[in-house]
Amino acid sequence: MSDFLRLLLGLHAQARRYDRDQALLGALGVGAFAYTHQIDSVHRMATAPACRWLLADEVGLGKTIQVSTADQNQAGVAA
């Protein structure tokens, strides 16, 4: 195995460990990775007096994860 391939595999393994350690996994009811912009959006949705939000951003930034997490939060509040 070349040194370059070993380096790439090591970086990939390190990234996977980082992702694993940063996973919400169920802390908010969604098995996903939390990015700062997602946490901020969910916080604003959870603390707003009214439940009317439009999530509109670029493709792949986690709108589904944000909505799922906010939905889990609302279900917990309603219960």
Side-chain angles (χ1 to χ4, degrees):
M1 180 182 306
S2 72
D3 290 338
F4 181 70
L5 182 57
R6 188 172 290 124
L7 174 68
L8 287 179
L9 291 175
L11 289 173
H12 180 70
Q14 184 177 3
R16 299 286 296 194
R17 283 191 299 275
Y18 177 79
D19 286 345
R20 180 197 64 214
D21 294 342
Q22 297 299 315
L24 291 176
L25 293 180
L28 296 176
V30 178
F33 302 107
Y35 294 105
T36 305
H37 72 278
Q38 294 169 329
I39 293 170
D40 291 343
S41 294
V42 171
H43 181 310
R44 283 194 303 268
M45 286 186 264
T47 58
C51 184
R52 294 182 63 120
W53 287 91
L54 172 66
L55 287 174
D57 56 23
E58 297 297 321
V59 174
L61 291 180
K63 291 176 290 295
T64 304
I65 293 168
Q66 293 174 57
V67 169
S68 299
T69 305
D71 187 46
Q72 288 290 332
N73 180 57
Q74 289 294 72
V77 171

